[in-house]
Amino acid sequence: MFIPLHDANGLHHIKLQYVTLGLIAANVIIYLATTLGGEQFTNAAVLGLGFIPSVVHHTAGLPVQFIVIPEDWSYLTYAFLHADIIHLGGNMLFLWVFGDNVEDALGHVRYLVFYLLCAVAGAFVHGLVAPDSQEPLIGASGAIAGVVTAYLVLHPRVKIWILAFARIPLRIPAYIIIALWIALQFVMFAIGGDDRISWACHVGGILAGAVLVLILRRGDVPLMDKELVTPRSVKVVQKSAVEPGEAGPVQRWGRR
């Protein structure tokens, strides 16, 4: 539907989005490790670490050689596995664009808790909808859905540069494009869209993100852009009199 590029939304409470960067690094490293291990190793990782509802609900079992963790841990581990570079790149791009401001609003530790709980919620709803499924669920999409939803709750009026339909550059308010994206997830879930994508996982992440951001955000962080703060990327120079041509320096912004 759209590819996010940039939001020009500065950080106000933290200096650097350590957790967002760490999560991106962890996902990339794990993807490279599983891919470089070869197809057999990748399949073993998906079976052993992916979320398989029937295994978690004890209606089916894994062969002993694929059991590497207690099955309940897969509520988290599945979110660090990706099927291919497109799957990984799409999720990490969304996390890069939207994650820093959510981390800023929650703080590093609570943001990490938020991210992991959204991943758990995605797997939980997926397992609730398809309890007997024997297909592994993998990907960070549930957690990313929570992050995107939290961004909407926090910054609906911030304008975002996107590629609409992967080719048309637009600068559009977050509430328009994210609300449409969220609506699409619920519609596809209701009609049983593309079965290669767990729409239930997305819905679980969305619901968790909407609730958790209200609980975990900093006490002084407003919702719905009630207070718009000038991003750090813009330096405002206040003078009693400004000579013509004397303007403050502006830095340019630099299943899935």
Side-chain angles (χ1 to χ4, degrees):
M1 183 179 180
F2 77 99
I3 299 173
L5 300 176
H6 177 67
D7 64 346
N9 190 3
L11 302 176
H12 312 305
H13 302 280
I14 62 176
K15 293 183 178 180
L16 187 65
Q17 60 274 33
Y18 297 109
V19 177
T20 296
L21 295 173
L23 288 168
I24 293 173
N27 278 279
V28 170
I29 290 169
I30 291 171
Y31 174 75
L32 292 175
T34 55
T35 302
L36 294 175
E39 184 177 354
Q40 186 173 359
F41 183 79
T42 300
N43 291 337
V46 168
L47 288 172
L49 301 174
F51 180 81
I52 306 176
S54 59
V55 172
V56 172
H57 296 152
H58 304 292
T59 58
L62 280 175
V64 175
Q65 65 269 29
F66 295 121
I67 300 176
V68 293
I69 58 169
E71 60 269 13
D72 288 342
W73 290 16
S74 64
Y75 278 101
L76 287 175
T77 56
Y78 85 97
F80 293 89
L81 300 171
H82 289 85
D84 52 46
I85 194 66
I86 301 299
H87 189 201
L88 172 71
N91 279 338
M92 294 305 101
L93 181 58
F94 271 74
L95 184 56
W96 169 257
V97 173
F98 299 112
D100 58 340
N101 295 109
V102 179
E103 183 174 350
D104 186 48
L106 274 60
H108 302 302
V109 175
R110 282 177 291 183
Y111 171 69
L112 178 59
V113 172
F114 169 89
Y115 182 92
L116 296 177
L117 287 178
C118 287
V120 170
F124 177 80
V125 174
H126 174 79
L128 201 63
V129 171
D132 297 323
S133 173
Q134 296 186 21
E135 294 186 9
L137 171 69
I138 60 173
S141 300
I144 302 302
V147 170
V148 173
T149 303
Y151 189 98
L152 175 63
V153 173
L154 293 165
H155 304 294
R157 290 189 286 163
V158 169
K159 291 187 177 180
I160 303 170
W161 277 104
I162 66 167
L163 281 180
F165 306 107
R167 63 185 62 192
I168 305 172
L170 294 173
R171 187 169 179 258
I172 191 168
Y175 73 87
I176 295 177
I177 193 63
I178 295 179
L180 286 173
W181 181 84
I182 289 174
L184 176 65
Q185 311 312 303
F186 279 92
V187 169
M188 295 300 283
F189 171 65
I191 67 175
D194 188 344
D195 58 7
R196 295 172 300 173
I197 298 173
S198 175
W199 304 103
C201 181
H202 294 188
V203 167
I206 289 169
L207 296 176
V211 173
L212 290 172
V213 69
L214 303 178
I215 299 170
L216 296 177
R217 81 185 196 280
R218 299 174 189 270
D220 59 343
V221 171
L223 300 175
M224 311 297 280
D225 281 329
K226 289 182 179 178
E227 296 178 14
L228 288 176
V229 182
T230 302
R232 289 180 180 173
S233 59
V234 179
K235 183 179 179 181
V236 179
V237 177
Q238 295 181 344
K239 296 182 180 179
S240 58
V242 180
E243 296 296 330
E246 285 188 352
V250 178
Q251 299 177 357
R252 296 183 182 273
W253 54 268
R255 232 231 197 135
R256 297 180 170 188

